[in-house]
Amino acid sequence: MTPSFYRGRRLRRTPALRDLIRETEIRPQDLIQPYFVVETSDSSFAQPIASMPGQYQFSLDRLEEQVARSVDAGLRAVILFGIPAHKDPMGTQAYADTGIVQEAVRRLKTRFPDLVVITDVCMCEFTSHGHCGILEDNYVQNDVTLNYLAKTALSHARAGADMVAPSDMMDGRIQAIRMILDENGFKELPIMSYAVKSASSFYGPFRDAAESAPAFGDRKSYQMDPANLRQAMCEAEADLEEGADIIMVKPALPYLDVLRRIRDGFNVPTAAYQVSGEYSMVKAGAQLGWIDEQKIVMESLTSIKRAGADLILTYFAEDVLTWLA
């Protein structure tokens, strides 16, 4: 009698069989598209981002046009990053009622009431020094910054945001934001925390897109050391205890082990951010003809979801919606 052994190929023989047993699928509702919106008097402004081919800085009008096309293609959620006309040391436009993010939220929620509009809550795009908090002696002050982050989150909520996403990595900011939201009638507004945000080298193109490069030094004193997995678990646990509803890991692909541990360790929705460096490397390789962009992107996103992400923030979201259709 012929010995019995596992014949996995039985279920890989045809495309239909492979589809039938596929364990991990990328769906439109898994994807969140980031957009960069600029405060400008030029309503037709749509500036290509050189280091991120296919991505733009948009005026409010052009943002609305772009989102309309994406919603028609099946986009369910966006996250907004604002670039103000004026920056100052205190980042006052981050929490101004008429700030660029607040205006973008109002515009999108009026036009697309069913679209989930998420806002990035940070100071770096709004401060003249490019750091994520308030400075004293050229050092970011953690506790002082909490009040400014809380005010920013509240201004986004009042503008109509469906969710706020603090990305600053100040200790205690989830608690500060949860408290101010609850006190002002936004108890049901969720917080997606950039809980595990590493001081990564993969953010370079984003700083061009958001015009948020620090004027001096770096962000290693408040963003996480990429080498530390145990600390990542502590950060996630702390943010959940303070009131976070979704935990994010950023970047995504180089941190799949961290993502898996977060997913296994905490019974909450988990997000991963496929960041600008990940995006730009794929784009560059595809432009040189070295890789198949669509296949690489879909394989990468599948690996992120397989590792445990319920939600994926990716600059490829618009493209993926077209491919899925």
Side-chain angles (χ1 to χ4, degrees), residues 55-121:
Q55 301 300 306
Y56 294 81
Q57 295 176 332
F58 290 115
S59 66
L60 284 169
D61 285 354
R62 292 299 295 273
L63 173 69
E64 186 176 342
E65 292 173 9
Q66 184 67 28
V67 172
R69 286 190 288 269
S70 298
V71 168
D72 286 344
L75 185 67
R76 311 288 183 87
V78 304
I79 185 167
L80 299 177
F81 297 89
I83 303 163
H86 169 73
K87 301 188 179 192
D88 57 57
M90 309 303 287
T92 55
Q93 287 303 299
Y95 47 87
D97 289 339
T98 57
I100 185 59
V101 170
Q102 292 81 352
E103 294 294 345
V105 170
R106 293 186 187 99
R107 180 79 69 96
L108 293 184
K109 290 304 296 182
T110 299
R111 176 80 180 273
F112 315 104
D114 294 330
L115 180 69
V116 178
V117 176
I118 307 165
T119 56
D120 180 83
V121 177

Side-chain angles (χ1 to χ4, degrees), residues 178-192:
R178 186 72 272 161
M179 287 178 63
I180 200 171
L181 291 177
D182 290 358
E183 290 167 359
N184 285 273
F186 296 100
K187 289 185 177 181
E188 297 195 3
L189 191 81
I191 299 173
M192 177 168 64

Side-chain angles (χ1 to χ4, degrees), residues 144-255:
V144 173
T145 299
L146 299 183
N147 181 51
Y148 291 86
L149 295 169
K151 289 196 299 182
T152 300
L154 180 59
S155 71
H156 293 176
R158 285 173 169 164
D162 296 294
M163 187 184 304
V164 293
S167 63
D168 55 283
M169 287 299 288
M170 298 296 117
D171 297 332
R173 86 263 201 226
I174 302 301
Q175 178 176 278
I177 290 171
R178 186 72 272 161
M179 287 178 63
I180 200 171
L181 291 177
D182 290 358
E183 290 167 359
N184 285 273
F186 296 100
K187 289 185 177 181
E188 297 195 3
L189 191 81
I191 299 173
M192 177 168 64
S193 173
Y194 289 67
V196 184
K197 180 179 179 181
S198 295
S200 171
S201 300
F202 284 85
Y203 301 151
F206 174 90
R207 290 170 184 165
D208 293 337
E211 300 180 12
S212 62
F216 63 89
D218 54 41
R219 296 175 177 146
K220 293 181 179 179
S221 67
Y222 44 99
Q223 293 180 356
M224 275 195 55
D225 186 333
N228 293 347
L229 176 57
R230 292 193 300 271
Q231 190 178 56
M233 300 298 288
C234 291
E235 294 281 357
E237 183 175 14
D239 284 4
L240 288 171
E241 289 177 352
E242 291 175 21
D245 301 282
I246 300 173
I247 294 296
M248 186 198 301
V249 174
K250 179 182 180 185
L253 202 59
Y255 295 80

Side-chain angles (χ1 to χ4, degrees), residues 30 32 192 196 246-253 255-256 259 269-275 278 301 304-305 307-314:
D30 299 331
I32 300 170
M192 177 168 64
V196 184
I246 300 173
I247 294 296
M248 186 198 301
V249 174
K250 179 182 180 185
L253 202 59
Y255 295 80
L256 294 184
L259 177 59
T270 306
Y273 199 144
Q274 188 182 47
V275 299
E278 298 173 74
L301 294 178
I304 294 167
K305 190 171 181 185
D310 300 294
L311 304 170
I312 304 174
L313 294 80
T314 174

